[in-house]
């Protein structure tokens, strides 16, 4: 037991390294995590406090809008012609520049064109070959089709016992 104490006393040089490591870890966390996040939060707060009517903004939910009115903690945004909605300032993610909004409009136009092309290539899978929904509700005699009532039982093959 006495020899264990002597061995522990001989390894005293690593204590300085351990102390340096304990001091370095919080410094690394501060430089890599806390400081950049604090900087981004300050920039976001500055951007939200600088909101002015007429600015085009993007909300955290992805809506593009124009600022109509700014209050202490909220903003009134126009999301469509004549449609005004009240948001908290924290819901504004970024202020769009004119070039940013045009780029987004171009992307939306391209997506709409692709959807129209997809609709043209769509295959009609209805039974009646594209008749209206009113026609499909009636059978050949003109009487409305009846819906099945209750559940249907499906017979399954008996499993062989092992």
């Amino acid at each position: 037991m006495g020899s264990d104490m002597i061995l522990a006393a001989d390894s005293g040089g690593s204590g300085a390294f351990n102390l340096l490591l304990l001091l370095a870890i919080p410094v690394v966390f501060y430089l890599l995590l806390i400081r950049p996040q604090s900087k981004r939060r300050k920039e976001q707060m500055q951007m939200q406090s600088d909101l002015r009517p007429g600015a085009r903004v993007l909300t955290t939910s992805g809506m593009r809008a124009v600022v109509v009115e700014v209050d202490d903690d909220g903003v009134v945004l126009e999301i469509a012609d004549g449609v005004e909605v009240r948001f908290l300032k924290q819901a504004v993610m970024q202020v769009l520049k004119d070039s940013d909004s045009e780029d987004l409009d171009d992307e939306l136009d391209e997506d709409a064109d692709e959807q129209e092309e997809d609709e043209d290539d769509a295959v009609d899978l209805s039974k009646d070959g594209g008749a209206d929904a009113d026609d499909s509700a009636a059978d050949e005699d003109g009487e409305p089709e009846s819906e099945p009532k209750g559940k249907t039982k499906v017979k399954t093959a008996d499993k062989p016992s092992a």
Side-chain angles (χ1 to χ4, degrees):
M1 182 155 165
S3 63
D4 292 337
M5 294 173 104
I6 295 171
L7 289 175
D10 289 341
S11 64
S14 67
F17 177 73
N18 288 341
L19 182 63
L20 182 65
L21 189 61
L22 285 174
L23 294 175
I25 290 175
V27 170
V28 168
F29 270 104
Y30 175 76
L31 292 175
L32 294 179
L33 298 174
I34 298 170
R35 186 171 173 235
Q37 187 172 356
S38 171
K39 184 178 177 183
R40 273 181 294 206
R41 186 174 51 242
K42 285 180 184 176
E43 289 174 355
Q44 187 77 11
M45 296 286 285
Q46 181 67 30
M47 183 267 310
Q48 290 170 353
S49 66
D50 289 344
L51 285 176
R52 300 285 177 248
R56 293 188 51 82
V57 296
L58 180 68
T59 65
T60 55
S61 60
M63 270 195 235
R64 288 179 296 140
V66 177
V67 177
V68 175
E69 181 183 335
V70 180
D71 295 337
D72 290 336
D73 63 341
V75 292
V76 176
L77 301 178
E78 184 177 27
I79 56 176
D81 292 335
V83 180
E84 293 180 354
V85 185
R86 177 171 293 281
F87 278 89
L88 291 175
K89 281 186 178 180
Q90 290 83 2
V92 176
M93 187 167 61
Q94 73 183 87
V95 176
L96 297 175
K97 300 174 185 170
D98 291 333
S99 62
D100 291 343
S101 62
E102 290 173 5
D103 292 342
L104 290 174
D105 287 336
D106 292 342
E107 290 176 12
L108 290 175
D109 291 340
E110 290 173 5
D111 290 342
D113 292 340
E114 290 176 10
Q115 280 185 338
E116 289 175 7
E117 290 174 9
D118 291 343
E119 289 173 2
D120 293 340
D121 297 336
V123 177
D124 185 18
L125 298 177
S126 63
K127 289 182 181 179
D128 53 357
D132 292 340
D134 296 336
D135 295 338
S136 64
D139 62 2
E140 297 166 357
D141 299 332
E143 296 178 12
E145 294 180 6
S146 61
E147 304 253 340
K149 298 177 183 171
K151 297 181 180 178
T152 352
K153 294 185 179 180
V154 179
K155 294 182 181 180
T156 58
D158 294 330
K159 296 181 181 178
S161 58

